[in-house]
């Protein structure tokens, strides 16, 4: 397994995931499309959230 760093598009939410990435999906939202972002689903226990939950809000 490899540890991959990541963040939301503005960089406020930072995290790492431990995974063996063997495929990825293309997101077609306007932000991901402009950035060429790909996504990969991991189980909850593979996510290491570095931004405290108390600092997060719901984005709509």
């Amino acid at each position: 397994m490899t540890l991959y760093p990541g963040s939301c598009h503005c960089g406020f939410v930072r995290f790492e995931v431990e995974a063996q990435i063997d495929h990825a999906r293309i997101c077609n939202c306007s932000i991901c499309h402009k950035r060429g972002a790909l996504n990969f689903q991991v189980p909850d226990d593979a996510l290491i959230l570095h931004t405290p939950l108390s600092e997060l809000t719901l984005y709509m």
Side-chain angles (χ1 to χ4, degrees):
M1 294 283 186
T2 303
L3 200 58
Y4 294 95
S7 70
C8 65
H9 67 269
C10 76
F12 181 76
V13 179
R14 298 211 175 272
F15 58 86
E16 292 178 314
V17 293
E18 188 172 5
Q20 183 62 42
I21 297 178
D22 57 1
H23 68 280
R25 289 182 288 244
I26 297 171
C27 180
N28 65 355
C29 81
S30 60
I31 294 169
C32 289
H33 184 73
K34 287 179 183 178
R35 295 185 69 199
L38 302 173
N39 62 54
F40 179 77
Q41 190 172 3
V42 299
D44 291 346
D45 62 351
L47 175 69
I48 304 162
L49 186 61
H50 295 297
T51 305
L53 286 175
S54 62
E55 294 184 22
L56 302 181
T57 59
L58 182 60
Y59 177 81
M60 291 193 191

